[in-house]
Each structure stands twice: as structure tokens, then as C-alpha cells.
Amino acid sequence: MSEPLRIGVLGAARITERSLIDPARATGHRLVAVAARDRARAEAFAAGHGVERVAGSYAELVADPEIDIVYNPLANGLHGPWNLAALAAGKHVLSEKPSASNTQEAAEVRQAAQKAGAVFMEAFHYLFHPVTRRLHELLASGELGELRHVEAMVAIAAPPDTDPRWSLPLAGGALMDLGCYSLHALRMLAPWAGGAPRLAGARGGERAGAPGVDEWLDADLEFPGGATGSARCHMAYDGLEMSIRIVGSRGEATAPNFVLPQRDDRIVVRTPEGERTERLGTRSSYTYQLEAFAAAVRDGAALPLDADDAVTTMELIDACYLEAGFEPRPRTRI
């Protein structure tokens, strides 16, 4: 049995329980420290989640010699600066997406990861779950025929107006928070589409009271092999939708919730032979992700995501913003 990873957590974000605490417990890793701007909040978080101790600041946490891995679930605009700080301290980094506020900052994060010789990964957890792996298998096996079209929609009900996801200085917006999944899922189909997609068009709508911040954005993509794609996101939607539909020349497959497959693990496959529903299991995508990340840190196992992939995603996000009439997100100075 290899030694448990020693993890430090930046911030006391609500998502962390689902995205890291539970998976770390399930896989036997240590939660060494947490830091938050409000020490009392960090202490409550540590007590509630079995984190060993509280660090006095983000800077103290990333410098801590007892920590191997830094998990960064802070507001989007704080991903880049603290990813850079953690990598400069020689830590491996699991960062919530996107890795930075814009392409230039993402490229700096990549350079820092290379210099540190560290494992760096954006937390696109959906990719590690059997639901997404099965969608890829259905294309690879030829059961769906040649890829013709794919559409992904990631949408949630509106967060409160005070939420950092609506803040331009903190790199907010629907595309940053949600649309990155849609774009990423389409990018990952490149092996069955003759190569990486290019942006063919994008439209978006601004959030009332939040100048420069997108409430929704739709992107049209084209693959070299002739397939088309639609990557959509909406952060003030009537309910929750996180679906992907893959259409081939012989059939199609739909996953009703590819982003959180633990909530709905179905894939519906329709071919000339008929329709069937496959269930791929409700074990958390975040647990699969942490296992893969740990294997990369401990054993040098290959990961499907790295700092290069993060830059490519960010380039596409920035291109979507420009095409839809927005500016790429500004850097957050800390």
C-alpha cells in the first residue's frame, strides 16, 4: 500500500466536501490543512471535515513542507495566482476549472508546472467516470458509425447576485463556470473526429447588473472530419441540465447528466437495432478523479489532462468570448 497523499485545501468552499473531502476519505488520503480568509470559517471547516489543522493563510498553506498536493477550489480569478504560488513552492496541484483567468495566465501556469516538475491537472472529473468512458467506447467501437454531430448543454439556476461567479474581477461568467465542461467534452472527441474542433461562431447574453459577465453563451464548433458541435451553457436557467448527445451515422447516444453522473448514471443508446439504456454506476466522478491523480503523483501514471490541455481549453474559452462580443476575463491581482 503506497503512502497516503498529504493534501492541503485552499478555502472553505462548499463544493470541497463533494469534490475532495468525501473522495479523500473513500481512498485513504490525508487532509493535512485548510486555509481560508476567515480563520473561524477554516476552523469550523476543519472540525466538520476531519482536516488535521488550520493554516494561517493561503501563502502559509502552499509553503507547508508537510503538504504534497494543493487543491484549489477558490473563485475562478484566484485559480491562476494560487496555482502559480503552489507550483513555485514545488507542490502538485489539483485545480478547479478553469486553471486561470485567460490564456496568457494559463500559459504561465503551464510553464510553472514544467519548471516545478509537478503534476498539474484541472479538475474535469467527469472525464474519469465510466459514463464518459463508455461514450468514447461507443464511438471507438463503431457502433454509432462516424461522428456527425454532438451537443452539450450545462445549465443551472441562477446563483445569488452576490455570488463570485457573477463577478468580472473574479473571472466570473457562465462560460467560465459551466461552459468549460461543454467545450471540454467536445474537445475530448477529437480522436473520432479527425482532430481538434475549431470555433465556427458564438453568441452570448450579458447578466443584468454585471457588465461584461455572460449569463449564457452558445458556441458552434466544427471538426476536421466534417462533424459539427454545439457547446452551450446557461447560469440563470430554469432548473439543472448537464446533458450530452452524440450523433453518429449509424446511431446516437445521450447521457442525461455527464457532468454529475453520480446523480444520473444512464446512457441511452439508439441504433437501427433498437433502443437500450445502460447504467454505469453512481460512484462519484470525483473519487475516480482523485484515484487517477494519486496514481500520477505516486507512480507517474499517465493522465488524460495536463497543463497543455488546460491552455488549449482556455484558448477556446477566450475565442468564444471574443466571438460573442465579450472580453476575455481579466487577471486577478493578489
Short mmCIF file of all heavy atoms in Angstrom, two decimals, residues 165-223:
data_model
loop_
_atom_site.label_atom_id
_atom_site.label_comp_id
_atom_site.label_asym_id
_atom_site.label_seq_id
_atom_site.Cartn_x
_atom_site.Cartn_y
_atom_site.Cartn_z
N ARG A 165 -19.34 34.09 -8.92
CA ARG A 165 -19.48 33.65 -10.31
C ARG A 165 -20.06 34.73 -11.21
O ARG A 165 -19.99 34.63 -12.43
CB ARG A 165 -20.33 32.38 -10.36
CG ARG A 165 -19.59 31.15 -9.87
CD ARG A 165 -20.48 29.93 -9.75
NE ARG A 165 -21.35 30.02 -8.59
CZ ARG A 165 -22.19 29.04 -8.21
NH1 ARG A 165 -22.27 27.93 -8.92
NH2 ARG A 165 -22.94 29.19 -7.14
N TRP A 166 -20.65 35.78 -10.60
CA TRP A 166 -21.16 36.93 -11.38
C TRP A 166 -20.17 38.09 -11.39
O TRP A 166 -20.50 39.18 -11.85
CB TRP A 166 -22.50 37.41 -10.82
CG TRP A 166 -23.65 36.46 -10.95
CD1 TRP A 166 -24.45 36.02 -9.92
CD2 TRP A 166 -24.18 35.87 -12.14
NE1 TRP A 166 -25.42 35.18 -10.40
CE2 TRP A 166 -25.29 35.07 -11.77
CE3 TRP A 166 -23.82 35.92 -13.49
CZ2 TRP A 166 -26.04 34.33 -12.68
CZ3 TRP A 166 -24.56 35.18 -14.41
CH2 TRP A 166 -25.66 34.40 -14.00
N SER A 167 -18.99 37.90 -10.82
CA SER A 167 -18.02 39.00 -10.68
C SER A 167 -16.99 38.97 -11.81
O SER A 167 -16.25 37.99 -11.95
CB SER A 167 -17.29 38.87 -9.33
OG SER A 167 -16.12 39.65 -9.31
N LEU A 168 -16.94 40.05 -12.60
CA LEU A 168 -15.91 40.13 -13.64
C LEU A 168 -14.49 40.18 -13.05
O LEU A 168 -13.61 39.46 -13.54
CB LEU A 168 -16.16 41.33 -14.56
CG LEU A 168 -15.24 41.42 -15.79
CD1 LEU A 168 -15.43 40.24 -16.72
CD2 LEU A 168 -15.48 42.74 -16.53
N PRO A 169 -14.24 40.97 -11.98
CA PRO A 169 -12.89 40.97 -11.40
C PRO A 169 -12.44 39.60 -10.89
O PRO A 169 -11.24 39.35 -10.80
CB PRO A 169 -12.99 41.99 -10.25
CG PRO A 169 -14.12 42.89 -10.64
CD PRO A 169 -15.10 42.00 -11.36
N LEU A 170 -13.40 38.72 -10.55
CA LEU A 170 -13.05 37.37 -10.11
C LEU A 170 -13.23 36.34 -11.24
O LEU A 170 -13.36 35.14 -10.99
CB LEU A 170 -13.87 36.97 -8.87
CG LEU A 170 -13.45 37.68 -7.58
CD1 LEU A 170 -14.42 37.37 -6.45
CD2 LEU A 170 -12.02 37.28 -7.17
N ALA A 171 -13.24 36.84 -12.48
CA ALA A 171 -13.27 35.98 -13.67
C ALA A 171 -14.52 35.12 -13.74
O ALA A 171 -14.47 33.94 -14.10
CB ALA A 171 -12.00 35.12 -13.75
N GLY A 172 -15.66 35.75 -13.40
CA GLY A 172 -16.92 35.01 -13.43
C GLY A 172 -17.53 34.94 -14.83
O GLY A 172 -17.01 35.50 -15.79
N GLY A 173 -18.67 34.24 -14.90
CA GLY A 173 -19.40 34.09 -16.14
C GLY A 173 -19.81 32.65 -16.38
O GLY A 173 -19.19 31.72 -15.86
N ALA A 174 -20.88 32.48 -17.15
CA ALA A 174 -21.41 31.13 -17.41
C ALA A 174 -20.39 30.26 -18.13
O ALA A 174 -20.27 29.07 -17.84
CB ALA A 174 -22.69 31.24 -18.23
N LEU A 175 -19.66 30.84 -19.08
CA LEU A 175 -18.70 30.04 -19.84
C LEU A 175 -17.56 29.57 -18.95
O LEU A 175 -17.13 28.41 -19.05
CB LEU A 175 -18.15 30.87 -21.01
CG LEU A 175 -17.21 30.15 -21.98
CD1 LEU A 175 -17.91 28.98 -22.66
CD2 LEU A 175 -16.66 31.12 -23.02
N MET A 176 -17.09 30.43 -18.06
CA MET A 176 -16.01 30.04 -17.15
C MET A 176 -16.46 28.94 -16.20
O MET A 176 -15.73 27.99 -15.94
CB MET A 176 -15.54 31.25 -16.34
CG MET A 176 -14.86 32.33 -17.14
SD MET A 176 -13.23 31.85 -17.78
CE MET A 176 -12.20 32.08 -16.33
N ASP A 177 -17.68 29.08 -15.69
CA ASP A 177 -18.12 28.17 -14.65
C ASP A 177 -18.72 26.87 -15.19
O ASP A 177 -18.51 25.80 -14.62
CB ASP A 177 -19.15 28.87 -13.76
CG ASP A 177 -19.23 28.20 -12.40
OD1 ASP A 177 -18.23 28.26 -11.67
OD2 ASP A 177 -20.27 27.61 -12.08
N LEU A 178 -19.47 26.96 -16.28
CA LEU A 178 -20.25 25.82 -16.79
C LEU A 178 -19.84 25.42 -18.20
O LEU A 178 -19.68 24.24 -18.50
CB LEU A 178 -21.74 26.17 -16.79
CG LEU A 178 -22.33 26.65 -15.46
CD1 LEU A 178 -23.76 27.16 -15.69
CD2 LEU A 178 -22.32 25.54 -14.43
N GLY A 179 -19.71 26.44 -19.07
CA GLY A 179 -19.44 26.16 -20.48
C GLY A 179 -18.11 25.48 -20.71
O GLY A 179 -17.92 24.79 -21.72
N CYS A 180 -17.17 25.65 -19.77
CA CYS A 180 -15.89 24.96 -19.90
C CYS A 180 -16.10 23.44 -19.98
O CYS A 180 -15.38 22.75 -20.71
CB CYS A 180 -14.96 25.33 -18.76
SG CYS A 180 -15.59 24.98 -17.11
N TYR A 181 -17.12 22.90 -19.29
CA TYR A 181 -17.43 21.47 -19.40
C TYR A 181 -17.91 21.11 -20.80
O TYR A 181 -17.50 20.10 -21.37
CB TYR A 181 -18.52 21.07 -18.39
CG TYR A 181 -18.06 20.91 -16.97
CD1 TYR A 181 -18.42 21.84 -15.99
CD2 TYR A 181 -17.29 19.82 -16.57
CE1 TYR A 181 -18.01 21.69 -14.67
CE2 TYR A 181 -16.88 19.67 -15.26
CZ TYR A 181 -17.24 20.60 -14.31
OH TYR A 181 -16.84 20.45 -13.01
N SER A 182 -18.82 21.94 -21.34
CA SER A 182 -19.35 21.66 -22.68
C SER A 182 -18.22 21.66 -23.70
O SER A 182 -18.10 20.74 -24.52
CB SER A 182 -20.40 22.71 -23.07
OG SER A 182 -21.40 22.83 -22.10
N LEU A 183 -17.40 22.71 -23.65
CA LEU A 183 -16.28 22.81 -24.60
C LEU A 183 -15.31 21.65 -24.43
O LEU A 183 -14.84 21.07 -25.40
CB LEU A 183 -15.54 24.14 -24.40
CG LEU A 183 -16.26 25.41 -24.81
CD1 LEU A 183 -15.44 26.63 -24.41
CD2 LEU A 183 -16.55 25.43 -26.31
N HIS A 184 -14.99 21.33 -23.18
CA HIS A 184 -14.02 20.27 -22.92
C HIS A 184 -14.52 18.92 -23.42
O HIS A 184 -13.78 18.16 -24.05
CB HIS A 184 -13.69 20.20 -21.43
CG HIS A 184 -12.43 19.45 -21.13
ND1 HIS A 184 -12.42 18.10 -20.88
CD2 HIS A 184 -11.13 19.86 -21.11
CE1 HIS A 184 -11.16 17.71 -20.68
NE2 HIS A 184 -10.37 18.75 -20.81
N ALA A 185 -15.80 18.65 -23.16
CA ALA A 185 -16.37 17.36 -23.59
C ALA A 185 -16.31 17.22 -25.11
O ALA A 185 -16.04 16.14 -25.64
CB ALA A 185 -17.81 17.24 -23.10
N LEU A 186 -16.55 18.34 -25.83
CA LEU A 186 -16.44 18.30 -27.30
C LEU A 186 -14.99 18.15 -27.73
O LEU A 186 -14.69 17.37 -28.65
CB LEU A 186 -17.06 19.56 -27.92
CG LEU A 186 -18.54 19.42 -28.31
CD1 LEU A 186 -19.44 19.11 -27.12
CD2 LEU A 186 -19.04 20.65 -29.05
N ARG A 187 -14.08 18.84 -27.07
CA ARG A 187 -12.65 18.71 -27.40
C ARG A 187 -12.18 17.27 -27.25
O ARG A 187 -11.34 16.80 -28.04
CB ARG A 187 -11.80 19.60 -26.49
CG ARG A 187 -11.79 21.08 -26.86
CD ARG A 187 -10.68 21.81 -26.09
NE ARG A 187 -9.46 21.07 -26.24
CZ ARG A 187 -8.70 20.61 -25.23
NH1 ARG A 187 -9.02 20.85 -23.98
NH2 ARG A 187 -7.62 19.92 -25.47
N MET A 188 -12.70 16.56 -26.26
CA MET A 188 -12.25 15.19 -25.99
C MET A 188 -12.70 14.18 -27.06
O MET A 188 -12.31 13.02 -27.02
CB MET A 188 -12.72 14.74 -24.60
CG MET A 188 -12.06 15.48 -23.45
SD MET A 188 -10.25 15.27 -23.35
CE MET A 188 -9.68 16.84 -23.98
N LEU A 189 -13.54 14.63 -27.99
CA LEU A 189 -13.99 13.74 -29.09
C LEU A 189 -13.06 13.80 -30.30
O LEU A 189 -13.30 13.13 -31.30
CB LEU A 189 -15.42 14.10 -29.49
CG LEU A 189 -16.46 14.01 -28.37
CD1 LEU A 189 -17.84 14.36 -28.90
CD2 LEU A 189 -16.47 12.64 -27.71
N ALA A 190 -12.00 14.60 -30.21
CA ALA A 190 -11.08 14.77 -31.34
C ALA A 190 -10.58 13.45 -31.96
O ALA A 190 -10.49 13.35 -33.19
CB ALA A 190 -9.89 15.64 -30.92
N PRO A 191 -10.29 12.41 -31.16
CA PRO A 191 -9.78 11.17 -31.77
C PRO A 191 -10.75 10.52 -32.77
O PRO A 191 -10.32 9.76 -33.63
CB PRO A 191 -9.55 10.24 -30.56
CG PRO A 191 -9.36 11.16 -29.40
CD PRO A 191 -10.25 12.34 -29.67
N TRP A 192 -12.05 10.82 -32.63
CA TRP A 192 -13.05 10.21 -33.52
C TRP A 192 -13.61 11.23 -34.50
O TRP A 192 -14.62 10.98 -35.16
CB TRP A 192 -14.18 9.57 -32.69
CG TRP A 192 -13.59 8.60 -31.72
CD1 TRP A 192 -13.16 7.32 -31.98
CD2 TRP A 192 -13.30 8.84 -30.33
NE1 TRP A 192 -12.62 6.76 -30.85
CE2 TRP A 192 -12.69 7.66 -29.82
CE3 TRP A 192 -13.49 9.93 -29.48
CZ2 TRP A 192 -12.28 7.56 -28.49
CZ3 TRP A 192 -13.07 9.81 -28.15
CH2 TRP A 192 -12.48 8.64 -27.67
N ALA A 193 -12.95 12.39 -34.59
CA ALA A 193 -13.49 13.48 -35.41
C ALA A 193 -12.44 14.07 -36.34
O ALA A 193 -12.62 15.17 -36.86
CB ALA A 193 -14.05 14.58 -34.50
N GLY A 194 -11.35 13.34 -36.53
CA GLY A 194 -10.31 13.82 -37.43
C GLY A 194 -9.42 14.90 -36.84
O GLY A 194 -8.63 15.52 -37.55
N GLY A 195 -9.56 15.15 -35.54
CA GLY A 195 -8.72 16.15 -34.89
C GLY A 195 -9.53 17.13 -34.05
O GLY A 195 -10.75 16.98 -33.89
N ALA A 196 -8.84 18.14 -33.54
CA ALA A 196 -9.44 19.10 -32.61
C ALA A 196 -10.46 19.99 -33.31
O ALA A 196 -10.28 20.33 -34.48
CB ALA A 196 -8.35 19.94 -31.97
N PRO A 197 -11.52 20.40 -32.59
CA PRO A 197 -12.51 21.28 -33.20
C PRO A 197 -12.01 22.72 -33.28
O PRO A 197 -11.14 23.13 -32.52
CB PRO A 197 -13.69 21.19 -32.23
CG PRO A 197 -13.06 20.93 -30.90
CD PRO A 197 -11.84 20.08 -31.19
N ARG A 198 -12.60 23.48 -34.20
CA ARG A 198 -12.33 24.92 -34.25
C ARG A 198 -13.65 25.65 -34.05
O ARG A 198 -14.73 25.12 -34.35
CB ARG A 198 -11.67 25.33 -35.56
CG ARG A 198 -12.57 25.22 -36.76
CD ARG A 198 -12.00 25.93 -37.99
NE ARG A 198 -13.07 26.09 -38.99
CZ ARG A 198 -13.88 27.12 -39.06
NH1 ARG A 198 -13.78 28.11 -38.19
NH2 ARG A 198 -14.82 27.19 -39.98
N LEU A 199 -13.54 26.87 -33.54
CA LEU A 199 -14.74 27.67 -33.27
C LEU A 199 -15.30 28.22 -34.58
O LEU A 199 -14.58 28.82 -35.37
CB LEU A 199 -14.39 28.83 -32.32
CG LEU A 199 -15.57 29.69 -31.86
CD1 LEU A 199 -16.54 28.87 -31.03
CD2 LEU A 199 -15.05 30.89 -31.07
N ALA A 200 -16.59 27.99 -34.80
CA ALA A 200 -17.25 28.49 -36.01
C ALA A 200 -18.15 29.69 -35.73
O ALA A 200 -18.50 30.44 -36.64
CB ALA A 200 -18.06 27.37 -36.66
N GLY A 201 -18.53 29.88 -34.47
CA GLY A 201 -19.39 31.00 -34.12
C GLY A 201 -19.77 30.92 -32.65
O GLY A 201 -19.70 29.85 -32.05
N ALA A 202 -20.15 32.07 -32.07
CA ALA A 202 -20.59 32.08 -30.68
C ALA A 202 -21.50 33.28 -30.44
O ALA A 202 -21.31 34.34 -31.03
CB ALA A 202 -19.40 32.14 -29.72
N ARG A 203 -22.48 33.08 -29.58
CA ARG A 203 -23.42 34.13 -29.17
C ARG A 203 -23.58 34.05 -27.66
O ARG A 203 -23.50 32.96 -27.09
CB ARG A 203 -24.81 33.90 -29.80
CG ARG A 203 -24.80 33.85 -31.32
CD ARG A 203 -25.98 33.08 -31.88
NE ARG A 203 -26.04 31.69 -31.44
CZ ARG A 203 -25.21 30.72 -31.86
NH1 ARG A 203 -24.22 30.98 -32.70
NH2 ARG A 203 -25.34 29.50 -31.41
N GLY A 204 -23.81 35.21 -27.03
CA GLY A 204 -23.99 35.18 -25.59
C GLY A 204 -24.86 36.32 -25.12
O GLY A 204 -25.12 37.27 -25.87
N GLY A 205 -25.31 36.25 -23.88
CA GLY A 205 -26.13 37.30 -23.28
C GLY A 205 -25.50 37.76 -21.98
O GLY A 205 -25.03 36.94 -21.18
N GLU A 206 -25.52 39.08 -21.77
CA GLU A 206 -24.91 39.66 -20.57
C GLU A 206 -25.86 39.59 -19.38
O GLU A 206 -27.07 39.72 -19.53
CB GLU A 206 -24.56 41.12 -20.88
CG GLU A 206 -23.70 41.81 -19.86
CD GLU A 206 -23.25 43.17 -20.37
OE1 GLU A 206 -24.10 44.08 -20.50
OE2 GLU A 206 -22.05 43.33 -20.66
N ARG A 207 -25.30 39.38 -18.21
CA ARG A 207 -26.07 39.37 -16.97
C ARG A 207 -26.46 40.80 -16.59
O ARG A 207 -25.60 41.67 -16.49
CB ARG A 207 -25.23 38.74 -15.85
CG ARG A 207 -25.87 38.79 -14.46
CD ARG A 207 -27.04 37.86 -14.35
NE ARG A 207 -27.51 37.73 -12.97
CZ ARG A 207 -28.59 37.05 -12.63
NH1 ARG A 207 -29.31 36.44 -13.56
NH2 ARG A 207 -28.95 36.95 -11.37
N ALA A 208 -27.76 41.03 -16.38
CA ALA A 208 -28.22 42.36 -15.95
C ALA A 208 -27.53 42.74 -14.65
O ALA A 208 -27.50 41.95 -13.69
CB ALA A 208 -29.74 42.35 -15.77
N GLY A 209 -26.96 43.92 -14.61
CA GLY A 209 -26.29 44.40 -13.40
C GLY A 209 -24.87 43.91 -13.25
O GLY A 209 -24.21 44.20 -12.24
N ALA A 210 -24.38 43.14 -14.22
CA ALA A 210 -23.00 42.63 -14.16
C ALA A 210 -22.33 42.83 -15.52
O ALA A 210 -22.20 41.89 -16.31
CB ALA A 210 -22.99 41.15 -13.76
N PRO A 211 -21.94 44.06 -15.84
CA PRO A 211 -21.37 44.36 -17.15
C PRO A 211 -20.18 43.46 -17.49
O PRO A 211 -19.31 43.24 -16.64
CB PRO A 211 -20.93 45.82 -17.03
CG PRO A 211 -21.73 46.39 -15.90
CD PRO A 211 -21.96 45.25 -14.96
N GLY A 212 -20.18 42.94 -18.72
CA GLY A 212 -19.07 42.12 -19.18
C GLY A 212 -19.14 40.66 -18.75
O GLY A 212 -18.29 39.86 -19.14
N VAL A 213 -20.16 40.32 -17.96
CA VAL A 213 -20.30 38.94 -17.47
C VAL A 213 -21.42 38.25 -18.24
O VAL A 213 -22.54 38.74 -18.32
CB VAL A 213 -20.58 38.90 -15.96
CG1 VAL A 213 -20.80 37.47 -15.48
CG2 VAL A 213 -19.44 39.55 -15.19
N ASP A 214 -21.11 37.07 -18.78
CA ASP A 214 -22.08 36.31 -19.58
C ASP A 214 -23.00 35.49 -18.69
O ASP A 214 -22.56 34.74 -17.84
CB ASP A 214 -21.35 35.40 -20.57
CG ASP A 214 -20.23 34.60 -19.91
OD1 ASP A 214 -19.40 35.19 -19.18
OD2 ASP A 214 -20.18 33.36 -20.11
N GLU A 215 -24.31 35.66 -18.93
CA GLU A 215 -25.31 34.83 -18.26
C GLU A 215 -25.48 33.51 -19.00
O GLU A 215 -25.76 32.48 -18.40
CB GLU A 215 -26.64 35.59 -18.22
CG GLU A 215 -27.75 34.85 -17.49
CD GLU A 215 -29.01 35.70 -17.36
OE1 GLU A 215 -29.04 36.56 -16.46
OE2 GLU A 215 -29.94 35.52 -18.17
N TRP A 216 -25.34 33.57 -20.32
CA TRP A 216 -25.40 32.36 -21.16
C TRP A 216 -24.49 32.55 -22.36
O TRP A 216 -24.19 33.69 -22.74
CB TRP A 216 -26.84 32.05 -21.62
CG TRP A 216 -27.43 33.13 -22.49
CD1 TRP A 216 -28.12 34.24 -22.08
CD2 TRP A 216 -27.36 33.22 -23.92
NE1 TRP A 216 -28.49 35.02 -23.16
CE2 TRP A 216 -28.04 34.42 -24.30
CE3 TRP A 216 -26.80 32.42 -24.92
CZ2 TRP A 216 -28.17 34.82 -25.63
CZ3 TRP A 216 -26.93 32.81 -26.25
CH2 TRP A 216 -27.61 34.00 -26.60
N LEU A 217 -24.04 31.44 -22.92
CA LEU A 217 -23.23 31.51 -24.13
C LEU A 217 -23.37 30.20 -24.90
O LEU A 217 -23.34 29.12 -24.31
CB LEU A 217 -21.76 31.78 -23.79
CG LEU A 217 -20.88 32.21 -24.98
CD1 LEU A 217 -19.87 33.28 -24.56
CD2 LEU A 217 -20.13 31.02 -25.58
N ASP A 218 -23.56 30.33 -26.20
CA ASP A 218 -23.66 29.18 -27.10
C ASP A 218 -22.51 29.25 -28.10
O ASP A 218 -22.31 30.29 -28.73
CB ASP A 218 -24.98 29.18 -27.89
CG ASP A 218 -26.20 29.02 -27.01
OD1 ASP A 218 -26.03 28.69 -25.82
OD2 ASP A 218 -27.32 29.25 -27.51
N ALA A 219 -21.78 28.15 -28.25
CA ALA A 219 -20.67 28.10 -29.21
C ALA A 219 -20.92 27.01 -30.24
O ALA A 219 -21.40 25.92 -29.89
CB ALA A 219 -19.35 27.83 -28.48
N ASP A 220 -20.61 27.31 -31.50
CA ASP A 220 -20.70 26.33 -32.59
C ASP A 220 -19.28 25.91 -32.96
O ASP A 220 -18.41 26.78 -33.16
CB ASP A 220 -21.37 26.94 -33.82
CG ASP A 220 -22.72 27.56 -33.50
OD1 ASP A 220 -23.48 26.93 -32.73
OD2 ASP A 220 -23.00 28.67 -33.98
N LEU A 221 -19.06 24.60 -33.05
CA LEU A 221 -17.74 24.10 -33.39
C LEU A 221 -17.79 23.23 -34.64
O LEU A 221 -18.84 22.65 -34.95
CB LEU A 221 -17.14 23.32 -32.21
CG LEU A 221 -16.87 24.21 -31.00
CD1 LEU A 221 -17.79 23.84 -29.85
CD2 LEU A 221 -15.43 24.11 -30.55
N GLU A 222 -16.65 23.14 -35.31
CA GLU A 222 -16.52 22.28 -36.49
C GLU A 222 -15.28 21.43 -36.33
O GLU A 222 -14.21 21.94 -35.97
CB GLU A 222 -16.42 23.12 -37.77
CG GLU A 222 -17.71 23.87 -38.10
CD GLU A 222 -17.56 24.81 -39.29
OE1 GLU A 222 -16.41 25.03 -39.73
OE2 GLU A 222 -18.59 25.34 -39.75
N PHE A 223 -15.41 20.14 -36.62
CA PHE A 223 -14.28 19.21 -36.54
C PHE A 223 -13.70 18.98 -37.93
O PHE A 223 -14.42 19.05 -38.94
CB PHE A 223 -14.75 17.87 -35.95
CG PHE A 223 -15.14 17.93 -34.50
CD1 PHE A 223 -16.46 18.20 -34.12
CD2 PHE A 223 -14.21 17.70 -33.49
CE1 PHE A 223 -16.84 18.23 -32.79
CE2 PHE A 223 -14.58 17.74 -32.15
CZ PHE A 223 -15.89 18.00 -31.80
#
